[in-house]
Every structure is written in C-alpha cells, then in structure tokens.
Amino acid sequence: MKKILVLHGPNLNLLGRREKEIYGTLSLAEIDGRLAKFAQENGFQVATFQSNSEGDLITSIHEAMGRYDALVINPAAYTHTSIALRDALAALDIPVIEVHLSNIYRREEFRQKSLTAPIAVGVISGFGVHSYLLGLQAAFNCISA
Ligand code: DQA
C-alpha cells in the first residue's frame, strides 16, 4: 500500500483558534481526520505530523526518505523564509506537493514569495481544508501513474 506523509509547519497547531477569517474554523485534528478518511477511501496510508520547529520538520523530511512514496507539506511561515527546508525537500527523491489554506498570492507581499515552491511538483493555495485534500489527491495521482 502506498504511503504519503503530510507535514504541517509552525502555528498550524492553532488552527480553529488562529485568525479564523483567514484559516477557517477547523482544528488541525479535524483536518488530519479528513485526510485519514480520504486515504482510507482511496486505499492508501497517510501519516501526519506538525511541528513549530524548523529543525524537527527538516528531520521529518530526512526520515521520509525510503519510508514514504510522496510528501504533502504546508511549510506555513517557513515557506517564505527557510532555505534549510527547501534544501531538505530538494534532497528528497519522492514527489512533493506544497499546500496552503489561504491564497498566499492575494496576501501581504512577504507571503507572495515561496522558497519551497520551486522544489514542489505543484502548489495548491487558497482552498482551506480542500487545499490539503486536493494536495493529497495530487500526491496520490503522482505515485499511482
Ligand atoms: C499558510 C500561509 C503562510 O503565509 C502562513 O505563514 C501560515 C499558513 C497557509 O496555509 O495559508 O502560517 O501556509
């Protein structure tokens, strides 16, 4: 069975309480639940992990090598700042899909640049929880071809 890892970056543990008008009312646990249901219905496995620490996210990316078939990541604020995260993603030999709950291109200028996007197969941004579900679908398509 194919295995996909979903990584959530900093502050996403506060979903449902944080800037609800931008990020919606679902908690991270509810989003993870939807991802698990989608994976089950489509016959693959999904694991999810959230960290506020850049180093922990990088370690998770390293550990994904040889263990997962694809990676879906919302790097959150590290999208715009982290060369280290980008380098870790570039070292992976599995498809990477970047997702964002909000549309980063209609927000502040500093959010409109993604350092990680050039490493990704594609980016899905602006559809709330559906960005994750579409990202998971895209990752599954990449490894099912
Ligand atoms: C985000 C967008 C980022 O700019 C922001 O720092 C986040 C969440 C999103 O999912 O819309 O924390 O990645």
Side-chain angles (χ1 to χ4, degrees):
M1 196 180 270
K2 299 284 189 189
K3 291 205 273 187
I4 299 177
L5 178 63
V6 178
L7 291 180
H8 307 284
N11 301 307
L12 295 174
N13 55 311
L14 298 179
L15 286 178
R17 287 180 284 159
R18 166 196 185 209
E19 297 182 279
K20 289 187 218 171
E21 61 295 349
I22 298 175
Y23 299 119
T25 54
L26 288 183
S27 68
L28 190 62
E30 287 169 324
I31 290 177
D32 284 348
R34 299 240 190 145
L35 297 176
K37 185 168 178 279
F38 182 84
Q40 196 186 16
E41 287 166 357
N42 289 278
F44 66 93
Q45 284 181 9
V46 69
T48 59
F49 176 69
Q50 188 274 333
S51 179
N52 295 319
S53 150
E54 191 176 13
D56 287 350
L57 290 165
I58 289 168
T59 300
S60 301
I61 292 168
H62 294 172
E63 289 175 356
M65 289 190 208
R67 290 194 191 165
Y68 291 94
D69 300 292
L71 176 73
V72 176
I73 183 165
N74 182 351
Y78 292 140
T79 307
H80 320 295
T81 62
S82 179
I83 296 170
L85 203 62
R86 176 195 168 119
D87 287 350
L89 293 170
L92 272 187
D93 56 359
I94 56 174
V96 174
I97 315 293
E98 179 172 319
V99 302
H100 299 282
L101 294 152
S102 64
N103 179 354
I104 59 173
Y105 300 103
R106 62 186 291 186
R107 298 187 61 194
E108 302 95 323
E109 204 177 334
F110 65 84
R111 293 187 204 275
Q112 293 176 18
K113 170 98 185 145
S114 169
L115 297 182
T116 43
I119 303 305
V121 177
V123 179
I124 299 164
S125 183
F127 300 99
V129 64
H130 296 288
S131 292
Y132 278 102
L133 291 165
L134 291 165
L136 199 54
Q137 173 79 71
F140 187 54
N141 289 352
C142 286
I143 56 180
S144 306

